[in-house]
Amino acid sequence: MKQLNVGMIGGGFMGKAHALAYAGMPMFFWPAPAVPHRHTIVDVTEELAKNAAMKLGFDHYETDWRKVVNDPEIDVIDIVTPNHTHAEIAIAAAKAGKHIICEKPLALGAEQAKEMLDAVNEAGVKHMVAFNYRRTPAVALAKKYIEEGRIGKILSFRGTYLQDWSADPESPLSWRFQKKIAGSGALGDIGTHVVDFARYLVGEITDVNAVTKTWIPERPVQTGGTDSLGNVKGGADVPKSPVDVDDEFITMVKFDQGAIGTIEATRNAWGRNNYLTFEIHGEKGSLAFNYERRDELQVCFSDDPGDAKGFRTVYTGPNHPYGEGLWPIPALGIGYGETKIIETYDFFKSITEDTVVSPNFHDGYKIEAIADAILQSAENSQWVTVAKELSEVK
Amino acid sequence: MKQLNVGMIGGGFMGKAHALAYAGMPMFFWPAPAVPHRHTIVDVTEELAKNAAMKLGFDHYETDWRKVVNDPEIDVIDIVTPNHTHAEIAIAAAKAGKHIICEKPLALGAEQAKEMLDAVNEAGVKHMVAFNYRRTPAVALAKKYIEEGRIGKILSFRGTYLQDWSADPESPLSWRFQKKIAGSGALGDIGTHVVDFARYLVGEITDVNAVTKTWIPERPVQTGGTDSLGNVKGGADVPKSPVDVDDEFITMVKFDQGAIGTIEATRNAWGRNNYLTFEIHGEKGSLAFNYERRDELQVCFSDDPGDAKGFRTVYTGPNHPYGEGLWPIPALGIGYGETKIIETYDFFKSITEDTVVSPNFHDGYKIEAIADAILQSAENSQWVTVAKELSEVK
Amino acid sequence: MKQLNVGMIGGGFMGKAHALAYAGMPMFFWPAPAVPHRHTIVDVTEELAKNAAMKLGFDHYETDWRKVVNDPEIDVIDIVTPNHTHAEIAIAAAKAGKHIICEKPLALGAEQAKEMLDAVNEAGVKHMVAFNYRRTPAVALAKKYIEEGRIGKILSFRGTYLQDWSADPESPLSWRFQKKIAGSGALGDIGTHVVDFARYLVGEITDVNAVTKTWIPERPVQTGGTDSLGNVKGGADVPKSPVDVDDEFITMVKFDQGAIGTIEATRNAWGRNNYLTFEIHGEKGSLAFNYERRDELQVCFSDDPGDAKGFRTVYTGPNHPYGEGLWPIPALGIGYGETKIIETYDFFKSITEDTVVSPNFHDGYKIEAIADAILQSAENSQWVTVAKELSEVK
Amino acid sequence: MKQLNVGMIGGGFMGKAHALAYAGMPMFFWPAPAVPHRHTIVDVTEELAKNAAMKLGFDHYETDWRKVVNDPEIDVIDIVTPNHTHAEIAIAAAKAGKHIICEKPLALGAEQAKEMLDAVNEAGVKHMVAFNYRRTPAVALAKKYIEEGRIGKILSFRGTYLQDWSADPESPLSWRFQKKIAGSGALGDIGTHVVDFARYLVGEITDVNAVTKTWIPERPVQTGGTDSLGNVKGGADVPKSPVDVDDEFITMVKFDQGAIGTIEATRNAWGRNNYLTFEIHGEKGSLAFNYERRDELQVCFSDDPGDAKGFRTVYTGPNHPYGEGLWPIPALGIGYGETKIIETYDFFKSITEDTVVSPNFHDGYKIEAIADAILQSAENSQWVTVAKELSEVK
C-alpha cells in the first residue's frame, strides 16, 4: 500500500481536524488511494510543536516550516495556519514540488491567490483548498440530484452562514478580526463557504451587490496564542483594539446560467451556531440544507402525486454519495471529522490517479475574486461584475 | 351592544375570510367593541351576489357597489376586490363617510395610494389595510419582545415569502399575473406582507436595491371568473397570454435605525406553500418565525445561562398577545381565520374608541412607495432611496 | 336552502368553538347540506345565558335545558356541558326526537354510554360524538393513504397526548379533576382522542394493559364558575381538595388486525401544549402526525428510490380531504375552528342525507369501554380484554 | 506519555469505529489519560486480519484471539465480535489480567453476563460495556440537568429506538436475526441502548411488562461473511431461513424512584434510520432528545417567564459536557466517531486513575437481566419484577 508523507504547517483546531482525517481516511475508504503518514508537524515554538506532534500523532516536529517544505521525504504540505501565511508557504511548497492542501480562504485577496495559482500550475503539483462543507454527504447528494436534472433548471439560490460565537462584545480580538491577518471578516471566514456552495451547486457567479457591517467596532485584545473562537472573554480590565473587518455581509448574486440569489453571513446571530444553509429552487423541484442538521437533505419533486407532494427529509447513508465508505446505516452520524476524511480521500485520490480535484486553487482564486468584488460593491454601493477574464484564468 | 353594518365589496376567497371574521370576532373578543352586522355584499352578477349573501350570511346583496357605498345604513365598507379597483371604491366610500378596511396591497402604486390616503384623511374616517399576517399572535409576540428591549437593538432582518401554487407553467393567467389589475406580481401579492413585517418589527425602510424575475413569461388564459390560485390547469389547447409582472424578487434593505436586511418573495418555490418567514438578530437575542408553523415563535436570549442557551419554541396562548380572547391553551390552533378575527377586532376597536389602528392607509401608502422603489431599483440596477418626504406625509 | 335549528346546551369554551362552526360551515362548504341556525343557547343562570346568546349569536337563551330539548322548533341538540350531564340530556333529547351532537368523552363510563346509545338507536335520530381531531385534514389524509393501501398492512401504532396546563400544583381543581363530574382524568379528557385515532386509523382495539398515575394528589379549590384550564392559580390561602382521577396513563394495546401499540396521555408534560401525535408503521411505509403542527402530515413510502427515500412533509390543502371547501392553498392555516367546521359539515350531511356519520354514539360507547378496560387493567396490573360482545353491540 | 497496547478482537463495522476512537482520542482529549496503541487485531482468516490491520492501523494481526488475550504486551482487550462470543473472550481476558471493553449487549442473557461480571471482579481489571450513545454530549447534558435538579423529580420516561434497515423482507438473515448468535433481536441490538438511557438518566428499573413481535418470520440466507445491515438484498433465488428473534418490542417500565415509562424498539419503522429518542417529564421541566439530530438537546424549564416558556434547542459545544475536548463551537458536528472517542477517553481514564467507569459489566449484567425480564414478560403476558437481588450483585 502506497504511503504519502504529510508535512503539516500549523497545529491548532484545523490541525486537529486534518490529523483525524489522516488517521481515519483509510479506515473509511479502503483500499485507500494512498495511506497518509503523519510525518512532521510545524508550530511556532518547540514546545507547541512537540506537544502537537504527540497529540496529533506525527513522527517529527519542527518550528521552521521552510525546512519541512523542502524536506525530500515529504510528499504533501498541509497548510492550516492563519490566512496571511498561506501564500508564502504554498508558493514555497509548490516550488519544492509538493502537493498542497490549504485551508480556506486561500489568500488575503484575489491578487495573492493568483500568485499561488500560478505557482502550483507552474510546478504541476496537485492542489486543493479545504472548503470541506461541500463534502458533507447531503451536499454531495444535492449536487447529484442537480446533475441528474431531478430539480430542473435552477432559478434561485439562497445561502446563509450564521454564527454567534463572537456576538458578545467581550469576545476577544482574535486574528479573525484583523484585516492584515484574516483578509476579511465573516466574508472570508465563513461567507466563502457559501460562495463555494453556490459555485458548486449552481454555477459561476457573474455579478454581486453587497452591504457589509462591522457591528462591534472594537474588542478586548486577545491574551494567549490560541484561537479561542469566543470562548474566552476579555474582561473589563483588558484594553480594547479596533476591528477592521466585517462582522456581517449580505449580497445579491447573479449566475451565468440565469439564476439569482442572496448570500449572507454574520457572526452576530444569537442562537445560530454553525447555521450554514442553502435553499435552491429549480423548475422541477427544490432543495434545502442546514449544516446544523447535516445528516439531512430536504428535497421536493414537482412531479410527485398531488396528494403526496412535499419536502422529503433524506438522511444520507450507504445509498448516497460516499456512503459505501462511511457508516453502515443513515444517521449513525456525520460529524465535522467525516467531511475532512472525505476531503482527504478525494485529495489523495487526485494525487495517485493524477486527476484534478475540486475545489482547487483555481476555485480558491475565483472565490477570492468574488469576495473582493463583494467588498468593492459594498464600498461603492453598486453592482460589481466579477472580472470576465476570470473564466479564462487557468 | 352597539352594532356596525358592513357593506362588503367582493365575494371571493378574501370575502369568505372576512365574513368568518365578522361572525367570529364577538365570540372571541367579548364584550366586542361593536358587533359586526353582515348587511350587504356586492358581487359582479346578481347570481354571484345572491349566492355569496347566502353562503357568507349577509342580509342583502347588490351588484352596484356605489349603491352600497352610499347606503346610509352602512357604517363600514370592506374592500375585498382585485387590486385595481381598490382606489375608486375606497375614495368613494371615504367621501360617503364610511370607515374602510381594504385588502392589500392598498393600490397599484404609491401615487394611487396617496389619493386614497388623502381621501380618508379628508373625510376623517377610520381606515385599515388588511396585512393580516402581522396579527398572527406569534408575530405580535415578537413585537412585544422587541418593544420591551428583550432582544436589544436590531442589527439585521431577513424576510421571505415563498409559495409554489403558480410554479407550474400550466397554472392559469389569473388577474394576479396582469399588471393592469394587480400592479405587480409576487411583490405586491405576497412581498408586501414581508415589507409590512419589516416596518412593524424593525422600523422605516430608507433604501432598497432589488432584482426581479419573471420565470414563466406566458401562461394559459384563465377560463371562468374565479381566482383559482393555480388549482385549475389550463390544458394544452388553451391559448397562452404574456405575464407582465414579477414571479420573484429579491431586495436588500436599509432601515433608518441602522439595521440591514434582505427581503425575498417568489411563487416558484416548489414545496413552499405559505412560507412567510422572518429572522431578526438583535444585540441581545434573536427571533425566528415561519407562518407555516404559525403557532410558534422562536426566540433566543443572549443572557441565558451558558449551558442552556438556544432558541426557545414558544407556542402562543393565553399568556401572549390577544391570548385572552383566543383559545384556552396554546396549540389548539391558530388558523388563517384567527388572524382575520383579530384584525377585525382591532379595526372595530379603533372605530368605537376613535383611535388610530395600524396598518392603515398611511402604512399602505408607504408600503406602496417601497414597492415602487423596489421595481425602480430592479429596473435601474442601483440603490433607490425611498423618498424622504414619505415620513412627512400624514 | 334548508335550515336546521340548533339548541346548544352549555356556553363555555366548547360552546364558542361549536358556535363558530355553525357560523362558518356554510362559508366553507357551499352549498351546505343545511344551514345551521343558532336558535337557543342554555346556560346555568339567566345572566350567563343571555350573555352567551349575544356573544355566540343565538336568537334565544334559556336556563332550563329540558325546555329546549322539548322545543318543537329545535332540530339539533348540541351538548357542550361537563361530562356527567351528557347522558341525561342526550337521552331526553333522543326521546324528543332531536338529532344530537355530544362533546367527548360521551359518558362517565361504558354503562352510561350504552344507555345513551340505546336511546338514540331507539329514537332513530342522528348522533355524533365530537372527537374533532380526527377531522384535521392531515389526519383524514392519513386515513386516505391507509385505505388506499399506500403504507401496507399496519404493524404498530404509537399515540400520545401531552399537555402541561395543569402541571403546576397550584393549578386549580377544575371539574376535570373530579371523578364524579369528569369520569376519569387525562384518560377521558385527552386520552380518548388518541383511542379515537387508533380505532379510526388502525382498527378495533381488543386488549389493553395500562398504568395510571396521579402526580398531584390535591389542588386548590377552584373559585368562580368557569373552566379556567390552569390559567388561574389558586394562591397560598386557597384550601386544597383531593384529586381522584389520573394525571397520566400509559397503555399497551393490541388490535384485532394484528398490530400492537402504545397510547400515553399526561397533563404533566412541561413544554407540551397540545401534543397529540401518532406514528404508524406499515409494511410499505410510515406516517407521523403532531397536532401542534397540524397542517402537516409526515409520510414515508418504502418504494421510493433508494437515494430519495425519507419522510415527506405534506401540507394539506385543496388536493387533500376536505380541501375543496377550506382555504385555497396549503398552510394558510388550519386552526381548531376548522376541525369543528368540518365536524359540523359531516354531521349535518348525515342528517340531510340520512347516512351514518362517525364517530357516533356507537364509537363513543366503544371508546368508553376501552377506557374502562384501561382503568381496570391499571388497577389489576394485567391485560384486560375489551368485552368481545362489544363488537356485537349495535 | 503513558501508552496502553490494545488487542482488538474483531474487524467489522464496530472495529472501524473503535479504531478511529483510538487514533482520535488523544487529539481531542489532551493530555490523554494514556495514548492507545493499536497493537494487534484479530479476524477469522489471515487475509481478513491482515487487511483489517492495514486498514485500521494496527501493527500486528492474528487469527487466534487466545494468543492476543494472553500476549503479555497487551494491556487492553477490545471485543467487537458478534454477541455469542463475548463471554468466552471476556472471561479469558479477565483471567489474563487485561482491562476489557466489550461491545453491547454484553452477553446472550443475564446468566452469561453474570459469569463475565464475576470474572472481571475476581481479576480486578477495569471493564466497560460499549453503550456509546449515552456519551453523546447532548445526552450527557441531560444527565447534568437532572443531577443539578433543574427539571425536578422525574415523573415519566419515553424511549424509542426505531430503524428501517431490515424492514424489507428481502433483507438478509444476518447474525442479528439468529438467537444463538445474537441472543435476541431488536431488543438486544438496539433496545438495550434505550434501557441504558433509562437507567442512566432516571434510575433502576424494577418492573417490566412487554409485547414482542417477529414481523418477518423468514429471511434470505446471507451470503458472504460481512454484516451488511440490510444493504444487500437476498434475491428471489436465495433460500430463506427462519428468524427466531424479535423484530419489535414494546414495554412498560416502572422505576424504583417512582417514575413510569415506555420503551419501544423496532427495525420495521420505514423512514426512521437511527431514531434513538427519549422524552423525560419532571416536576420542574422536560427533556427531549433524538439521536438523528444528536447535536441538539431540547429542554423546557417550568420557571421560565410565562410569555417565554417553551422547549429550548441547545446545541452542545464547549459549554457542555466533554465540550473542552471536542470542537470549538457547537454544531461543527458530533458524529458517531465522537461518541466512541469520548467512550475511549473515559475508559482509559478509569484505567490510569483506577476509578470505576459506567456503563461497566455490572451495568451490562443488569441490562441483560432487564432484557431477560422483557422477554419473559412478553411470553407470560404479565408484569415481571426484575430480580430484587440484582441490586445486591456487585
Side-chain angles (χ1 to χ4, degrees), chain C residues 50-107:
Chain C
K50 184 177 178 181
N51 197 53
M54 282 196 297
K55 175 181 171 183
L56 302 182
F58 282 78
D59 288 349
H60 311 284
Y61 61 89
E62 186 50 75
T63 58
D64 179 1
W65 61 262
R66 289 174 198 281
K67 280 194 193 161
V68 180
V69 159
N70 291 301
D71 183 340
E73 287 195 8
I74 296 291
D75 301 298
V76 169
I77 290 293
D78 183 346
I79 305 171
V80 288
T81 51
N83 307 347
H84 66 314
T85 64
H86 292 180
E88 189 179 10
I89 300 170
I91 290 167
K95 284 183 178 158
K98 311 301 187 195
H99 305 298
I100 307 167
I101 180 166
C102 181
E103 262 306 315
K104 42 56 55 186
L106 185 58

Side-chain angles (χ1 to χ4, degrees), chain C residues 215-353:
Chain C
W215 297 117
I216 301 173
E218 58 175 22
R219 293 174 180 272
V221 172
Q222 189 173 22
T223 54
T226 56
D227 181 8
S228 62
L229 281 185
N231 297 314
V232 178
K233 293 196 179 183
D237 52 346
V238 174
K240 294 195 172 181
S241 201
V243 172
D244 57 1
V245 295
D246 55 294
D247 285 327
E248 171 164 4
F249 79 95
I250 57 179
T251 190
M252 300 189 292
V253 297
K254 295 179 185 171
F255 293 90
D256 58 1
Q257 55 74 280
I260 59 173
T262 59
I263 296 176
E264 315 178 342
T266 177
R267 297 185 288 212
N268 288 72
W270 284 112
R272 300 302 184 197
N273 299 283
N274 206 33
Y275 194 79
L276 170 58
T277 73
F278 63 77
E279 176 155 337
I280 291 174
H281 303 139
E283 288 188 342
K284 292 170 57 185
S286 296
L287 295 165
F289 172 77
N290 175 2
Y291 184 83
E292 292 193 344
R293 292 173 169 175
R294 79 206 66 82
D295 286 9
E296 309 168 26
L297 180 67
Q298 306 276 334
V299 61
C300 174
F301 299 115
S302 69
D303 56 1
D304 269 344
D307 73 348
K309 197 178 291 184
F311 275 96
R312 303 177 192 193
T313 303
V314 180
Y315 279 85
T316 56
N319 291 318
H320 306 105
Y322 303 108
E324 302 264 321
L326 296 168
W327 300 107
I329 61 169
L332 274 181
I334 300 300
Y336 193 77
E338 279 82 350
T339 68
K340 284 294 183 186
I341 284 171
I342 296 171
E343 181 176 270
T344 301
Y345 167 66
D346 281 340
F347 180 50
F348 273 58
K349 201 165 54 171
S350 83
I351 296 172
T352 56
E353 299 182 357

Side-chain angles (χ1 to χ4, degrees), chain A residues 155-156 158 162 209 211 215 248 250 252 260-262 264 269-270 272 279 281-283 286 302 311 381 383, chain B residues 155-156 158 162 209 211 213 215 248 250 252 261-262 264 269-272 279 281-283 286 302 381 383:
Chain A
L155 304 177
S156 63
R158 287 162 184 76
L162 313 181
N209 196 337
V211 177
W215 297 118
E248 172 164 3
I250 57 178
M252 300 190 292
I260 59 173
T262 59
E264 315 178 342
W270 284 113
R272 299 303 184 197
E279 176 155 336
H281 303 139
E283 288 187 342
S286 296
S302 69
F311 276 94
S381 296
W383 283 97
Chain B
L155 304 176
S156 64
R158 288 163 181 75
L162 312 181
N209 196 337
V211 177
K213 284 283 180 182
W215 297 117
E248 172 164 4
I250 58 179
M252 299 190 293
T262 58
E264 314 177 344
W270 286 112
R272 299 303 184 196
E279 176 155 337
H281 303 140
E283 288 187 343
S286 296
S302 69
S381 296
W383 283 97

Side-chain angles (χ1 to χ4, degrees), chain D residues 76-241:
Chain D
V76 168
I77 290 293
D78 183 345
I79 305 171
V80 288
T81 50
N83 307 348
H84 65 314
T85 64
H86 292 180
E88 189 179 9
I89 300 169
I91 291 167
K95 285 184 179 159
K98 312 301 187 194
H99 305 298
I100 307 168
I101 179 166
C102 181
E103 263 305 316
K104 41 56 57 186
L106 186 58
L108 296 183
E111 193 178 356
Q112 197 181 56
K114 182 65 167 55
E115 292 169 22
M116 296 165 77
L117 174 59
D118 289 344
V120 292
N121 276 340
E122 192 168 336
V125 297
K126 296 299 168 187
H127 45 98
M128 187 177 208
V129 57
F131 287 106
N132 61 306
Y133 288 122
R134 72 149 78 172
R135 278 181 164 79
T136 311
V139 179
L141 178 60
K143 175 75 169 175
K144 177 172 181 275
Y145 288 154
I146 291 168
E147 285 189 338
E148 292 174 1
R150 288 157 80 176
I151 65 157
K153 180 177 180 297
I154 293 175
L155 305 176
S156 63
F157 172 90
R158 288 163 181 75
T160 72
Y161 203 149
L162 313 181
Q163 297 186 328
D164 71 356
W165 60 265
S166 63
D168 188 329
E170 294 303 309
S171 176
L173 186 82
S174 84
W175 65 264
R176 293 171 195 269
F177 297 93
Q178 302 174 46
K179 189 172 184 177
K180 67 176 186 287
I181 305 180
S184 64
L187 172 58
D189 190 23
I190 55 177
T192 48
H193 278 295
V194 190
V195 174
D196 183 56
F197 276 4
R199 293 180 70 251
Y200 176 56
L201 297 171
V202 185
E204 200 56 79
I205 291 172
T206 57
D207 301 86
V208 299
N209 197 337
V211 177
T212 59
K213 284 284 180 181
T214 302
W215 298 117
I216 300 174
E218 57 176 21
R219 292 175 181 272
V221 172
Q222 189 173 20
T223 54
T226 56
D227 181 7
S228 62
L229 281 184
N231 297 313
V232 179
K233 292 195 179 181
D237 54 346
V238 175
K240 295 196 173 181
S241 201

Side-chain angles (χ1 to χ4, degrees), chain B residues 38 41 47-61, chain C residues 1 26-27 30 35:
Chain B
R38 285 164 279 163
I41 191 166
E47 190 188 340
L48 283 171
K50 183 177 179 183
N51 197 53
M54 283 196 298
K55 174 181 171 183
L56 302 182
F58 281 78
D59 289 349
H60 311 284
Y61 60 89
Chain C
M1 177 66 48
M27 302 181 189
W30 187 258
V35 173

Side-chain angles (χ1 to χ4, degrees), chain B residues 64-117:
Chain B
D64 180 1
W65 61 261
R66 289 175 198 281
K67 280 194 193 160
V68 180
V69 158
N70 291 301
D71 182 341
E73 288 194 7
I74 297 291
D75 301 298
V76 169
I77 290 293
D78 183 345
I79 305 172
V80 287
T81 51
N83 307 347
H84 67 313
T85 64
H86 292 179
E88 190 179 8
I89 300 170
I91 291 167
K95 284 184 178 158
K98 311 301 188 195
H99 305 299
I100 307 168
I101 180 166
C102 181
E103 262 305 316
K104 42 56 54 186
L106 186 58
L108 296 182
E111 194 178 354
Q112 198 182 54
K114 183 64 167 55
E115 292 170 20
M116 298 165 76
L117 175 59

Side-chain angles (χ1 to χ4, degrees), chain A residues 268-299:
Chain A
N268 288 72
W270 284 113
R272 299 303 184 197
N273 299 283
N274 206 35
Y275 194 79
L276 170 59
T277 74
F278 63 77
E279 176 155 336
I280 290 174
H281 303 139
E283 288 187 342
K284 291 170 56 185
S286 296
L287 295 165
F289 172 78
N290 175 2
Y291 184 83
E292 292 193 343
R293 291 172 169 176
R294 78 205 67 81
D295 285 9
E296 309 169 25
L297 180 68
Q298 306 276 334
V299 61

Side-chain angles (χ1 to χ4, degrees), chain B residues 220-382:
Chain B
V221 172
Q222 189 173 21
T223 54
T226 56
D227 182 7
S228 62
L229 281 185
N231 297 314
V232 179
K233 293 196 178 182
D237 52 347
V238 175
K240 294 195 173 181
S241 201
V243 172
D244 58 359
V245 296
D246 56 292
D247 285 327
E248 172 164 4
F249 79 95
I250 58 179
T251 191
M252 299 190 293
V253 297
K254 295 179 185 171
F255 293 90
D256 59 0
Q257 56 73 282
I260 59 173
T262 58
I263 295 176
E264 314 177 344
T266 179
R267 297 185 287 212
N268 288 72
W270 286 112
R272 299 303 184 196
N273 298 284
N274 206 34
Y275 194 80
L276 171 59
T277 74
F278 63 76
E279 176 155 337
I280 291 174
H281 303 140
E283 288 187 343
K284 291 171 56 186
S286 296
L287 296 165
F289 172 77
N290 174 3
Y291 184 82
E292 291 193 343
R293 292 171 169 177
R294 80 206 65 83
D295 285 9
E296 309 169 24
L297 181 67
Q298 305 276 334
V299 61
C300 174
F301 299 115
S302 69
D303 56 1
D304 269 343
D307 74 347
K309 197 178 292 184
F311 276 95
R312 302 177 193 193
T313 302
V314 180
Y315 279 84
T316 57
N319 291 318
H320 306 106
Y322 302 109
E324 303 264 319
L326 296 169
W327 301 107
I329 60 169
L332 274 181
I334 300 299
Y336 192 78
E338 279 82 350
T339 69
K340 285 293 182 186
I341 284 170
I342 297 171
E343 181 176 89
T344 300
Y345 167 66
D346 281 339
F347 180 49
F348 273 59
K349 201 165 55 170
S350 83
I351 295 171
T352 56
E353 298 182 358
D354 192 17
T355 55
V356 174
V357 71
S358 279
N360 52 40
F361 281 21
H362 198 193
D363 298 290
Y365 160 61
K366 287 192 172 182
I367 290 170
E368 287 302 295
I370 292 164
D372 285 358
I374 287 171
L375 291 177
Q376 185 190 334
S377 164
E379 199 171 329
N380 298 348
S381 296
Q382 62 189 25

